[in-house]
Amino acid sequence: MIVVMSSRATGDQIERVVERLQAMGVDTNVSRGVSRTVIGAIGDVTCVDKDVIRALPGVEEVLRIQKPYKIVSRDSHPENTVIDIKGIPLGGEQIQVIAGPCSVETPEQMRAAARGVKAAGCRLMRGGAFKPRTSPYTFQGRGVEGLKMFREAADAEGLPIVTELMDVRMLDTFLEYEVDVIQIGTRNMQNFDLLKEVGRSTQTPVILKRGMAATISEWLMAAEYIAAGGNHNIIFCERGVRSFERAYRNMLDVTAIPVLKKETHLPVIVDPSHAGGKAELVPALSYAAIAAGADGLLVEMHPTPCEAWCDADQAIDSRQLQDLMAHVGGIARVLGRSV
Ligand code: PEP
Ligand code: MN
């Protein structure tokens, strides 16, 4: 960390900054230039509150050299991390397409969905038993009963399951049903107590979706909360951010993919369904995601999309999922990857 003092800073003010930094446990190096003095803070500066130093008299600017996130940073782990989900690798050469309905509805719907996911060649299945809905009067998910239906349908096809955890009080139930990947949704990206708990209580992989108005840095820090608890099995999922545009649901931030791949060693996947919000947009957004370096996709599919209880507009059907897999496979091959 570098503290730039103002050109009018007095000797006393410089001394005070040095004392304050040392009291916070770091060494200092004072470099006096012609017009201004620069103080270097050396050592582990993670505990130094930048804003506290910035508020001291005579300080003009405080620059953090070290990244505020550590465990998730590529600096700490230069190689890509490949997460093992019941023997299925995510983050390596092979791209994973996780498909399934927005929400668990009935045992029949889940069985048909699981068959469609399997037939398309996907290796993992998604489905929400607990749904974060904008209105409290709309369908809220089948709850624990839904987890059971999901588990049974996916087990019949040998597919590991991905499902959203909204409430920390349900974590034990998720572990009881051996949920293979816990999804933290966009609305909970900064639910720090939830992040801490999935960090310290389990090693189950976590898909951390990007908050709908979160910066990449805030997203990385949210992942650091999980990692700091001890669970390093984290998968980032870009699902579009809020924008002024109304022609689609959210704006897919394709640029975030290579930026994240540079900043973190952890896998990055993309949800084209909640980004576009329309089934017809799913293929194009999926291709863009894979071309930009995503390690996988999280796609909403439904055996009969027009009958879906939730997000019917954006669900593709089994045949469309098969087409998607074929085209994604073609793009993957060009990039030296496979699906
Ligand atoms: C979902 O994947 O079912 C979901 C609710 O997504 P998001 O949190 O991205 O809105
Ligand atoms: Mn949905």
Side-chain angles (χ1 to χ4, degrees):
M1 179 181 281
I2 290 170
V3 183
V4 182
M5 301 300 293
S6 119
S7 55
R8 290 184 302 277
T10 64
D12 277 358
Q13 288 174 338
I14 294 167
E15 199 45 45
R16 206 166 145 205
V17 172
V18 167
E19 279 168 14
R20 197 63 191 261
L21 285 168
Q22 287 175 351
M24 287 170 164
V26 293
D27 288 332
T28 51
N29 179 288
V30 181
S31 161
R32 287 172 211 276
V34 182
S35 65
R36 64 185 72 230
T37 296
V38 168
I39 305 165
I42 306 149
D44 183 7
V45 293
T46 39
C47 297
V48 176
D49 187 337
K50 197 176 159 199
D51 296 336
V52 168
I53 302 298
R54 177 68 192 83
L56 292 173
V59 173
E60 188 170 287
E61 205 178 350
V62 181
L63 306 164
R64 216 179 246 288
I65 309 292
Q66 204 184 46
K67 307 248 165 73
Y69 40 90
K70 296 169 117 180
I71 305 166
V72 305
S73 166
R74 201 176 267 285
D75 293 348
S76 74
H77 189 288
E79 301 302 318
N80 285 334
T81 286
V82 181
I83 296 178
D84 181 279
I85 306 164
K86 273 212 188 136
I88 297 156
L90 180 50
E93 171 272 324
Q94 190 178 64
I95 285 161
Q96 303 301 345
V97 179
I98 307 164
C102 178
S103 70
V104 176
E105 298 164 9
T106 65
E108 297 73 39
Q109 169 248 11
M110 288 309 279
R111 281 196 289 269
R115 282 196 299 271
V117 170
K118 183 77 177 189
C122 304
R123 297 178 197 85
L124 298 141
M125 185 171 175
R126 66 149 285 147
F130 297 86
K131 296 305 302 175
R133 304 302 302 279
T134 302
S135 165
Y137 305 118
T138 52
F139 171 60
Q140 302 286 304
R142 297 294 306 262
V144 179
E145 218 188 319
L147 277 187
K148 192 161 174 273
M149 286 177 214
F150 190 4
R151 189 74 270 175
E152 282 171 11
D155 281 353
E157 301 296 335
L159 297 163
I161 66 171
V162 177
T163 195
E164 179 168 353
L165 176 69
M166 295 200 296
D167 186 331
V168 77
R169 290 169 296 185
M170 288 313 296
L171 181 55
D172 286 345
T173 309
F174 270 50
L175 299 180
E176 212 177 288
Y177 279 91
E178 295 178 19
V179 166
D180 301 291
V181 181
I182 296 171
Q183 178 176 321
I184 304 278
T186 192
R187 294 157 188 84
N188 275 313
M189 189 204 83
Q190 283 187 318
N191 181 340
F192 298 119
D193 286 334
L194 185 59
L195 301 179
K196 281 182 194 168
E197 206 52 42
V198 296
R200 78 175 151 229
S201 302
T202 178
Q203 288 296 316
T204 304
V206 176
I207 287 181
L208 180 63
K209 286 193 150 196
R210 182 181 189 172
M212 59 185 84
T215 64
I216 293 173
S217 165
E218 286 164 341
W219 192 10
L220 286 158
M221 289 309 293
E224 190 75 16
Y225 264 90
I226 302 171
N231 185 355
H232 297 183
N233 299 314
I234 307 160
I235 300 144
F236 288 86
C237 180
E238 161 63 36
R239 45 80 71 202
V241 289
R242 273 281 163 87
S243 86
F244 50 82
E245 185 52 68
R246 290 285 157 262
Y248 44 81
R249 192 170 177 180
N250 291 290
M251 185 182 279
L252 180 68
D253 183 2
V254 177
T255 315
I257 305 162
V259 171
L260 268 186
K261 292 299 292 180
K262 176 170 168 277
E263 291 298 319
T264 178
H265 53 93
L266 295 164
V268 178
I269 65 170
V270 165
D271 174 346
S273 310
H274 289 88
K278 288 185 182 130
E280 75 217 44
L281 300 176
V282 169
L285 299 183
S286 300
Y287 308 154
I290 300 304
D295 298 302
L297 299 171
L298 183 70
V299 181
E300 285 190 350
M301 72 76 76
H302 193 284
T304 41
C306 59
E307 289 170 19
W309 296 7
C310 186
D311 284 349
D313 288 1
Q314 66 195 39
I316 58 172
D317 63 21
S318 314
R319 193 191 45 77
Q320 290 168 320
L321 182 62
Q322 287 186 12
D323 283 354
L324 183 76
M325 288 296 278
H327 287 98
V328 164
I331 297 170
R333 271 192 297 283
V334 171
L335 299 169
R337 301 183 82 170
S338 64
V339 286

